[in-house]
Amino acid sequence: MVDRIAQSMANAEAHLLSLRNAQGHWEGHLSSSALSTATAMVALHAVDASLHGRFIKSGASWLIENQNADGGWGDTPLSKSNLSTTLLCWSALKKTASECALTLERCESWICAQVGSLEPADIQRAVVRRYGKDKTFSVPILMHCAICGTLGESAWNRVLPLPFELAAFPRSWFGALGLPVVSYALPALIAIGHARFHHAPPSWLNPLRWLRSRLWSRIRPMLKTLQPSSGGYLEATPLTSFVTMALASSGDHEHPCVPGAIDFLHLSMRPDGSWPIDTNLAT
């Protein structure tokens, strides 16, 4: 018995050691993500649809091939369909893919079953209701839909405003200020908040219009300061994509953080055309 246990342990050790990569450590493999793939496609399209066409086309093919039988998409290819991911995929395909009518038809049927219709007001209410007071996810999703044209003519007015001017305060104040997003989403607060301000500014009589206009030149460089050397915010495709598409949609294609973000998205795409939710972790 002792010999069998010792042999089993030796076999297990040998197997674990064989799983190391060429650099001598172990690397995990996160699931491919329809959410990440949809947001990366739209970010690349917003920056330069022609230049990044190969990546966008590969992403669209992967989404079409991995649509759930009910017409939606989930957090992974094995997950049940959910509204957030399905709205992102629907919008991305409508914006970037011209030959997927059946995919879109099935997807729209699923959305109608969940929301009640494809009316922009109904979609907005459903997204806001899903996340409540926390705008960390609801605002990026609505912005993504606005960029893709699935929120109607007054799309940007349906994107909830974010107080990006709060980023001008010291970081130690953030807890007291009550940010409407989690602290790690500060790049999204800045980029998406400004994009919404750019497209749907407050009235000229509203002091916030003047305050935000004057503070943008001070806050804008923070996006580069917050960007890691990899180019990916939090090493995550969705956050990086949301920041990139927000800047591009507001005409800021030349922002210093955009090249690094694009490189991150290029390097993160998998051979099958998908993107993972985060960079694979190594141990």
Side-chain angles (χ1 to χ4, degrees):
M1 176 64 73
V2 173
D3 289 342
R4 291 176 60 189
I5 292 175
Q7 185 60 51
S8 296
M9 292 177 63
N11 292 342
E13 180 180 0
H15 180 63
L16 284 173
L17 291 174
S18 73
L19 295 176
R20 292 180 297 178
N21 60 23
Q23 289 72 45
H25 60 261
W26 291 270
E27 184 175 17
H29 183 82
L30 296 172
S31 173
S32 293
S33 163
L35 185 154
S36 290
T37 302
T39 57
M41 288 165 55
V42 173
L44 294 172
H45 189 278
V47 173
D48 192 323
S50 177
L51 181 63
H52 307 301
R54 175 174 66 87
F55 295 88
I56 297 167
K57 183 177 180 180
S58 295
S61 296
W62 187 88
L63 287 181
I64 293 168
E65 292 171 4
N66 287 274
Q67 185 180 30
N68 287 342
D70 61 9
W73 287 267
D75 293 335
T76 76
L78 299 178
S79 301
K80 293 181 179 180
S81 300
N82 66 68
L83 182 61
S84 301
T85 302
T86 302
L87 286 174
L88 292 171
C89 294
W90 171 57
S91 299
L93 289 173
K94 282 186 73 72
K95 181 70 173 178
T96 67
S98 58
E99 299 179 358
C100 59
L102 180 58
T103 298
L104 291 173
E105 181 181 338
R106 294 172 58 215
C107 171
E108 289 169 357
S109 295
W110 188 91
I111 294 172
C112 285
Q114 305 300 312
V115 175
S117 77
L118 295 178
E119 288 298 313
D122 291 336
I123 291 173
Q124 183 208 37
R125 279 193 293 269
V127 172
V128 173
R129 183 170 60 248
R130 168 69 178 81
Y131 293 103
K133 294 181 179 180
D134 186 357
K135 299 180 181 179
T136 304
F137 300 103
S138 60
V139 175
I141 292 168
L142 292 172
M143 175 197 65
H144 177 106
C145 293
I147 291 172
C148 294
T150 51
L151 276 188
E153 294 182 1
S154 302
W156 284 96
N157 288 317
R158 301 188 188 282
V159 180
L160 307 180
L162 290 176
F164 68 88
E165 66 276 7
L166 296 183
F169 287 91
R171 296 288 290 273
S172 58
W173 291 24
F174 286 178
L177 290 172
L179 294 180
V181 300
V182 292
S183 58
Y184 65 73
L186 183 60
L189 172 76
I190 296 171
I192 300 174
H194 180 261
R196 202 286 189 179
F197 172 73
H198 172 84
H199 289 283
S203 162
W204 285 100
L205 300 178
N206 190 329
L208 282 176
R209 180 164 186 152
W210 303 96
L211 175 66
R212 290 172 176 169
S213 294
R214 297 198 61 172
L215 285 177
W216 177 238
S217 61
R218 176 181 172 184
I219 296 172
R220 181 177 180 269
M222 293 177 63
L223 287 171
K224 183 60 179 176
T225 303
L226 293 167
Q227 188 178 35
S229 58
S230 68
Y233 293 99
L234 286 184
E235 306 300 324
T237 295
L239 181 56
T240 305
S241 298
F242 286 136
V243 170
T244 304
M245 71 175 76
L247 289 170
S249 77
S250 55
D252 203 355
H253 298 74
E254 304 301 322
H255 191 286
C257 78
V258 170
I262 294 298
D263 286 344
F264 174 81
L265 294 178
H266 281 181
L267 291 172
S268 299
M269 192 186 80
R270 290 177 167 167
D272 64 0
S274 67
W275 275 265
I277 198 73
D278 284 303
T279 300
N280 289 335
L281 301 180
T283 303

